[in-house]
Amino acid sequence: MSQMPNPWVSALTQFDAAAELLHLDDALRQILRSCSRELTVHFPVRLSNGSTTVFCGYRVQHNVVLGPAKGGIRYHPSVDLDEMRAMAMWMTWKCAVAKIPYGGAKGGVAVDPAKLSPQELENLTRRYATEIALLIGPQQDIPAPDMGTDAHVMAWIMDTYSMHRGYSVTGVVTGKPLSIGGTLGRQEATGRGIVYIAQEAARNGLTKFEGAKVAVQGFGKVGSVAARLLAAEGCRVVGVSDISGGVYNERGLDVEALYRCVQQGARLAEAPGGDRINNEELLVLPVDILVPAAMESQVTGANAPQMRAKMVLEAANGPLTPEADAVLAERGIVVIPDILANAGGLVVSYFEWVQDIQSFFWEEEEINERLRRVMVRAFAEVKSLADERHATLREAATMRGVQRVAEATLVRGIYP
Ligand code: NAD
């Protein structure tokens, strides 16, 4: 692939298609097409060798009509303003599709966290949290983990924000450790949501589930859990990959053994149990379900014609470009879009925030069951709209999200 497609162009293209199908008027299109707040920060961090480096970070709120902004924080070299805008817009529609009373946001720092020591990572996080503190807060904007960040990073953000306030503000981030107001079930939530959606897709005749051959790209917080839970529920996971490459076994991989290897620091390109493959090969494996769980723009107009999956379940945000969507629709390959499929993390983040505000914590079974109900209802609504409008699931999901935010915008009116 030469240059990575711009995800903001993808997000706008998807929005325009939905706005057209909804016959949205021009004013609403202008409002919903723009990000309402975009903060860029440049800040110095002192490194362990005594030198200082200036990093660039962002926090973008696309829309806050439905409630406080919500969205992850990404530490990755690809982070730029357009990537943040795209992710923030997708979060707005995702919250609306799941009927969670939040708006959409995203933040991040252009950095490779693997190149920083734990102390440098903490310094960078605390300074970045301070820089974006004018936007975040439990009633304003609530970050969560994304690529390159985890519960520990959330703990540092929560602590930094609380130090500036003078008291503990647990609800300022979600995806925190349990000991400081995190919730049971959050770590597995996105992957668990993927399983619920795959099961609903099977119930609706879009795929098989029991014994379905599955390939998963990306073996991080989302991909590893999705692969393990899909295998535990009866799918045959035949291929997995991370940034180093992957492993393929037609008879099925021992996903738990691979997970243990990765926990001990191994890369999947060197993992046992099957043949070595690269990421390009993984994406075109002959499987029932392909789960892209790495990053955006992985399937494009260039490789979509070679794909042999029967269904794509988007665990990553924006893994397919609009050109890829068009090719797959033409070829009859079902795509379950990110804003529906990977909403599980958002939903349980919302449960975490609700528990923090009430200082009253729920049992894990209750959390998983409530998550299941939200995912099943969201799937049913999107599927029935797609059937009614002869639209793809992406078009239907985006229409659902856009329509809910548009309605709320009209009811609230334009200030002043
Ligand atoms: P992570 O950092 O925990 O893991 C990312 C994984 O993808 C790693 O295994 C990494 O090696 C691999 N990877 C990175 N670049 C790659 C490439 N070019 N090719 C192949 N593999 C690559 O991140 P995560 O939290 O699992 O997030 C993955 C995706 O899921 C992102 O698109 C993110 O926005 C989305 N997402 C995350 C959550 C969440 O709760 N963490 C929720 C919804 C959506």
Side-chain angles (χ1 to χ4, degrees):
M1 221 179 299
S2 48
Q3 220 204 339
M4 190 135 116
N6 183 333
W8 181 226
V9 174
S10 298
L12 288 174
T13 305
Q14 292 159 359
F15 167 75
D16 288 341
E20 201 56 37
L21 287 164
L22 290 166
H23 307 294
L24 227 58
D25 72 39
D26 277 348
L28 271 173
R29 284 187 206 213
Q30 274 187 58
I31 295 168
L32 300 182
R33 244 180 155 265
S34 336
C35 290
S36 67
R37 297 187 181 115
E38 303 181 339
L39 175 65
T40 301
V41 295
H42 300 275
F43 57 93
V45 177
R46 212 185 307 281
L47 304 179
S48 313
N49 65 7
S51 69
T52 298
T53 298
V54 173
F55 290 90
C56 180
Y58 306 90
R59 186 70 185 170
V60 171
Q61 296 175 352
H62 167 251
N63 187 290
V64 290
V65 166
L66 291 178
K70 185 89 189 85
I73 288 186
R74 178 173 290 197
Y75 288 173
H76 193 273
S78 74
V79 165
D80 66 15
L81 191 51
D82 274 356
E83 190 186 60
M84 297 296 102
R85 287 169 168 154
M87 300 283 153
M89 179 185 263
W90 286 325
M91 278 303 292
T92 303
W93 313 143
K94 194 185 300 180
C95 296
V97 168
K99 286 195 180 156
I100 299 295
Y102 284 145
K106 201 77 175 191
V109 179
V111 60
D112 180 353
K115 294 199 173 130
L116 297 184
S117 69
Q119 187 60 57
E120 290 168 339
L121 198 61
E122 177 172 349
N123 291 349
L124 175 134
T125 299
R126 288 187 181 279
R127 179 63 188 248
Y128 167 67
T130 307
E131 296 285 345
I132 63 165
L134 62 157
L135 283 187
I136 65 172
Q139 302 303 331
Q140 291 100 322
D141 182 348
I142 307 129
D146 190 72
M147 279 184 85
T149 59
D150 57 13
H152 211 148
V153 170
M154 294 307 115
W156 288 326
I157 297 178
M158 177 270 184
D159 185 68
T160 303
Y161 187 88
S162 299
M163 286 298 119
H164 292 175
R165 286 287 177 286
Y167 52 92
S168 294
V169 187
T170 53
V172 66
V173 287
T174 59
K176 302 179 287 294
L178 273 179
S179 55
I180 53 167
T183 183
L184 295 166
R186 173 61 184 88
Q187 275 184 11
E188 301 80 24
T190 309
R192 196 176 292 285
I194 291 290
V195 175
Y196 292 147
I197 292 292
Q199 288 169 333
E200 285 313 291
R203 258 190 277 281
N204 282 267
L206 300 178
T207 181
K208 69 184 241 186
F209 186 83
E210 187 65 38
K213 283 201 276 178
V214 177
V216 182
Q217 185 202 30
F219 206 67
K221 296 185 295 297
V222 175
S224 68
V225 174
R228 292 167 69 206
L229 291 180
L230 284 165
E233 293 293 324
C235 294
R236 178 151 46 116
V237 177
V238 295
V240 294
S241 69
D242 60 18
I243 194 157
S244 69
V247 54
Y248 173 64
N249 187 335
E250 222 266 298
R251 283 174 284 127
L253 295 162
D254 182 345
V255 186
E256 289 300 324
L258 290 171
Y259 180 68
R260 283 193 298 275
C261 286
V262 169
Q263 290 297 96
Q264 285 158 15
R267 290 150 69 90
L268 285 176
E270 293 119 35
D275 302 328
R276 283 183 192 175
I277 50 168
N278 61 34
N279 270 290
E280 288 76 51
E281 291 164 337
L282 180 124
L283 292 172
V284 299
L285 285 175
V287 290
D288 296 297
I289 307 174
L290 172 72
V291 183
M295 62 185 303
E296 63 271 18
S297 308
Q298 295 299 297
V299 183
T300 64
N303 56 356
Q306 284 87 53
M307 278 185 52
R308 288 175 291 167
K310 296 199 179 107
M311 185 176 94
V312 181
L313 189 47
E314 291 188 322
N317 287 309
L320 272 56
T321 64
E323 294 74 27
D325 261 355
V327 173
L328 298 188
E330 176 74 32
R331 296 184 53 211
I333 298 175
V334 177
V335 175
I336 310 219
D338 44 10
I339 57 172
L340 170 64
N342 73 25
L346 155 73
V347 173
V348 176
S349 271
Y350 169 67
F351 295 161
E352 179 175 335
W353 179 77
V354 168
Q355 292 171 82
D356 286 338
I357 288 173
Q358 299 178 343
S359 291
F360 179 74
F361 290 85
W362 313 344
E363 304 287 333
E364 187 160 4
E365 297 82 69
E366 182 178 358
I367 289 161
N368 291 343
E369 177 50 25
R370 282 177 184 268
L371 167 64
R372 196 190 61 76
R373 289 210 296 267
V374 174
M375 299 304 285
V376 168
R377 187 193 58 209
F379 182 93
E381 287 185 4
V382 169
K383 176 74 171 66
S384 81
L385 183 63
D387 291 346
E388 187 187 310
R389 297 292 302 264
H390 304 290
T392 64
L393 292 170
R394 176 160 350 259
E395 286 165 343
T398 313
M399 281 164 77
R400 264 270 161 268
V402 170
Q403 191 173 32
R404 285 198 176 124
V405 182
E407 273 168 24
T409 307
L410 288 174
V411 169
R412 286 182 58 161
I414 292 174
Y415 175 86

